[in-house]
Amino acid sequence: MNVKILDDQVDFQIASTMENLLSELHHYRHQSEKLQKINTLYQRMAGILDLPSMIEAYSIWLMEFIDHELIGYHNPAQQRMHMFCSHHGPKRREAIQLAQEILEQPMNQTPDGAQVGGFKIHKWAFNSTDCEGVLVILIKGRPLAENELQFIDESLVILAELLKRALEYEEIFAQARRDSLTGLPNRFVFEERIDSIAEQARRHGHPLTLAALDLDRFKAVNDTMGHFMGDQVLKQVAGALKREIRLTDMLVRMGGDEFLLVLPDTSLQDAKFLADRLCLAVEQLNIETKDGKLAISIGLAEWLPNLAIQDWLEQADDILYQAKANGGAQVAVS
C-alpha cells in the first residue's frame, strides 16, 4: 500500500477519534453542568415543608437559568393552589389572575404554548400516584426553546417528589389545624403562618390586607333556635364566605362567630370590593332571627412594613368595632 495513502487513513482515523472524544467530552460536560443545577435545586429545597415556600424557591432557582414571570401550582383534589410572580403592580395582578384561570380550567382548554395577554403559557400535569396537579409557567413575549423545555421536564421529576412531601406534611397536620365545625383553618394556622405571610409581603413590596369579621345577631340564633341550629348557621356562613374568596386567601375561624381573612396581594381598595361581596353573601343566606336578618360586620386594615402583627390585629379589631357600633351589616376601613 502507498505510504501516503496509509498516512492519510491514519490521520483520518485520528481525526475521527478526536472528534468523537470531543463530542463525548462536550456531552459529559453538559450532563455534569445539568446535574450540578439539579443538585442545587435539591439543596435549596431540602428544608422546605410548606407549599408556598416550595413554589417560591423553585421559581427563584429556575430564574437563574430560564427567565419567567410566574409559576403556579394547583392540586384540585387537596384544594391547594399557590403562585409566585416576579412582576409588580398591575402586571402582577394580571399575571396572577391569568394563571388562576388557567389552573382552574381543564388541562386541554388552553393549549400548551398558547399566548394570552402577552404571556406565553406552558403547562405540565402531574398524574402519578405520588403527585397530582398542574404546574403553569408564564413567560413574557417568547416561547420556551426545546432545550429549556427538556431542562424543566427533568427538574419537575425532582419537584414532583418535593411537592408530594409538602402535601403529605400538610395533610399530617391538617386535622390539628382545622376547625372541626366549619372545616376552616383554626387559630393555630393563623398564628403559624401570619409572620411568614407578612415577611413575604415586606420582602417583595406586595400589599397585604387583614379583614376581621363578626356576625350580627348570631346570639339571637342560639337563644331562640338552640346551639345545634347555631352550629348549622356557622357552617352555612363559612361555606358562603369560602365561595367568595381565592384559594390563595386564608379564611380562619378564630372562635365563636369571629373570623379572620388574610388577603395577600390585595390593597385596601380591592379588599373593600371583596368585603362588600362577603356581606352580600351572608345576607343572601336569608337567615331570620328574632332581632332581624343575620348579617356580618367587617373591619379592614392594610399591613404596613414594620407594623407589629399584634398591633395590626388590634387595628382590624378596632375598625370592626366601628362597623358594629354604626349598626352592623357593613364594612369599615382604616
Side-chain angles (χ1 to χ4, degrees), residues 17 22 25 74 89 91 100 175 193-194 229 281 287 293:
T17 301
L22 288 172
L25 182 62
H74 183 207
K91 287 291 184 182
Q100 182 168 342
Q175 294 301 323
R193 294 185 54 194
I194 192 60
M229 183 57 69
I287 298 173
K293 184 181 288 189

Side-chain angles (χ1 to χ4, degrees), residues 271-290:
K272 175 66 164 60
F273 292 137
L274 172 61
D276 287 336
R277 293 206 312 270
L278 296 178
C279 286
L280 181 61
V282 173
E283 179 187 346
Q284 289 178 339
L285 291 175
N286 293 317
I287 298 173
E288 294 288 346
T289 78
K290 64 181 180 62

Side-chain angles (χ1 to χ4, degrees), residues 74 79-81 100 104 245-250:
H74 183 207
Q79 295 187 322
R80 295 293 285 119
M81 179 188 291
Q100 182 168 342
E104 291 175 343
I245 65 174
R246 305 166 298 181
L247 286 175
T248 50
D249 300 330
M250 183 170 70

Side-chain angles (χ1 to χ4, degrees), residues 261-309:
L261 175 59
V262 183
L263 299 166
D265 301 305
T266 307
S267 66
L268 203 59
Q269 182 179 6
D270 291 338
K272 175 66 164 60
F273 292 137
L274 172 61
D276 287 336
R277 293 206 312 270
L278 296 178
C279 286
L280 181 61
V282 173
E283 179 187 346
Q284 289 178 339
L285 291 175
N286 293 317
I287 298 173
E288 294 288 346
T289 78
K290 64 181 180 62
D291 296 332
K293 184 181 288 189
L294 185 78
I296 196 165
S297 294
I298 302 176
L300 299 175
E302 189 168 6
W303 183 80
L304 299 174
N306 302 319
L307 178 64
I309 298 299

Side-chain angles (χ1 to χ4, degrees), residues 140-156:
K140 196 70 175 177
R142 71 172 185 90
L144 288 171
E146 189 62 36
N147 65 315
E148 292 175 318
L149 288 169
Q150 182 180 357
F151 178 67
I152 293 175
D153 284 343
E154 293 175 3
S155 73
L156 292 186

Side-chain angles (χ1 to χ4, degrees), residues 52-66:
S53 297
M54 193 165 285
I55 296 300
E56 178 180 353
Y58 177 75
S59 177
I60 292 172
W61 170 82
L62 186 63
M63 190 70 72
E64 297 178 20
F65 316 112
I66 301 173

